[in-house]
Amino acid sequence: MKNYFETKNIRVIGLFSVAIALFYLIVILTEGFYRYTIIEYLATLINLIMFTLIFLFITRKIIIRGISQMLFFLAFQLYAWIAFFLLLGIDLHQLWYGLVDRHFERNLLFMINVIPFRTLVTQFSSFPTATYAIHQIVGNIIVLAPLSFFLLYFNRVKMRRAFLVIFLYSLSIEILQFLSDVLFFQVRAMDIDDVILNTSGAALGLLGYVFYLGLAALGRRLVQKAAPIRRNKAH
């Protein structure tokens, strides 16, 4: 008998995307149709379309079985949406500013860093305290850790390939950030240090998945030990 909650990921992704669009539409209706709010809503729709296509590609072939997997999938989709918006979200106000302001200039040399650890050293040496730099480093480490856990949980990748997948995904984000600056004036840069930190963060997701497997195995052993006791009591 087919599980009632068994469904392809595309249905859940579509439901989530429609819910986000309706949520922002309600916000627009409560605030009124002003130029600023309309631009924000259009930007949200553009980002939502881009995110949905990327998330469909990442989670293709996943079959969701059971309500627990569905809730976990939705939770991860919410995380992925927030991460996408922070890393790649297109701001239409900046796009307009870059197109109409003739004094808007950019130096491509400051938009690309291919020297490992140069940005990290610069951050620690440029700020009066290391707090901001630490926040930046920790944020880049943990931002993609849930992605590696998610891909392992749904058997999209094997453990030995998790780091390679995260590396390629992080590299693609940096390239998209560079292109978003060149094409959409988003004031972002491509930095190899971010790729290094993101890839190292995959270890956190891997450790989390190993810990999850340990807890699941422990739970199964406890259930198996309790089952004979219940059978003996029944006799």
Side-chain angles (χ1 to χ4, degrees):
M1 181 177 179
K2 185 176 180 179
N3 192 319
Y4 177 76
F5 291 104
E6 181 174 322
T7 180
K8 292 185 178 180
N9 65 321
I10 189 171
R11 297 179 183 176
V12 181
I13 293 173
L15 177 64
F16 177 90
S17 300
V18 171
I20 291 294
L22 291 177
F23 171 77
Y24 277 97
L25 180 60
I26 293 173
V27 173
I28 290 291
L29 293 175
T30 55
E31 293 185 357
F33 287 94
Y34 301 104
R35 178 178 176 272
Y36 179 84
T37 56
I38 293 176
I39 291 177
E40 287 295 316
Y41 186 67
L42 290 176
T44 300
L45 289 180
I46 293 173
N47 287 311
L48 193 57
I49 293 172
M50 293 175 58
F51 164 77
T52 302
L53 294 176
I54 293 173
F55 197 75
L56 275 171
F57 177 77
I58 296 173
T59 62
R60 67 189 186 280
K61 299 181 182 179
I62 286 180
I63 301 295
I64 302 170
R65 296 180 175 87
I67 186 65
S68 60
Q69 282 196 359
M70 182 177 292
L71 292 176
F72 180 76
F73 190 90
L74 285 171
F76 176 78
Q77 193 174 357
L78 178 60
Y79 144 79
W81 165 245
I82 295 173
F84 172 87
F85 202 82
L86 292 176
L87 294 173
L88 297 174
I90 294 177
D91 188 338
L92 292 185
H93 293 283
Q94 289 186 10
L95 174 60
W96 176 257
Y97 175 78
L99 290 174
V100 302
D101 192 341
R102 297 180 180 179
H103 301 288
F104 189 86
E105 297 180 357
R106 293 166 297 171
N107 189 336
L108 293 179
L109 294 178
F110 292 100
M111 295 166 56
I112 302 177
N113 172 40
V114 295
I115 302 176
F117 306 111
R118 185 179 74 174
T119 300
L120 296 178
V121 174
T122 302
Q123 284 182 338
F124 275 106
S125 61
S126 300
F127 294 98
T129 63
T131 303
Y132 179 81
I134 291 175
H135 287 170
Q136 290 289 100
I137 293 172
V138 172
N140 278 310
I141 289 176
I142 67 175
V143 68
L144 294 184
L147 176 60
S148 61
F149 180 92
F150 172 84
L151 295 176
L152 290 167
Y153 177 85
F154 280 101
N155 296 318
R156 286 291 292 122
V157 297
K158 301 299 182 182
M159 285 189 181
R160 62 179 178 272
R161 297 185 60 188
F163 286 94
L164 176 62
V165 171
I166 296 300
F167 170 78
L168 295 176
Y169 184 77
S170 175
L171 182 62
S172 65
I173 288 177
E174 293 301 314
I175 294 174
L176 288 174
Q177 284 182 337
F178 173 74
L179 293 177
S180 68
D181 193 355
V182 174
L183 300 176
F184 305 113
F185 305 92
Q186 298 301 292
V187 194
R188 293 193 175 96
M190 178 180 176
D191 198 328
I192 191 62
D193 285 358
D194 289 344
V195 177
I196 294 173
L197 294 174
N198 292 159
T199 305
S200 64
L204 294 179
L206 181 61
L207 290 175
Y209 181 69
V210 171
F211 182 72
Y212 160 77
L213 291 179
L215 288 179
L218 178 61
R220 286 193 296 269
R221 285 197 295 269
L222 292 176
V223 171
Q224 290 173 358
K225 289 181 180 179
I229 296 176
R230 288 195 296 267
R231 285 197 295 268
N232 292 332
K233 289 183 176 179
H235 291 297

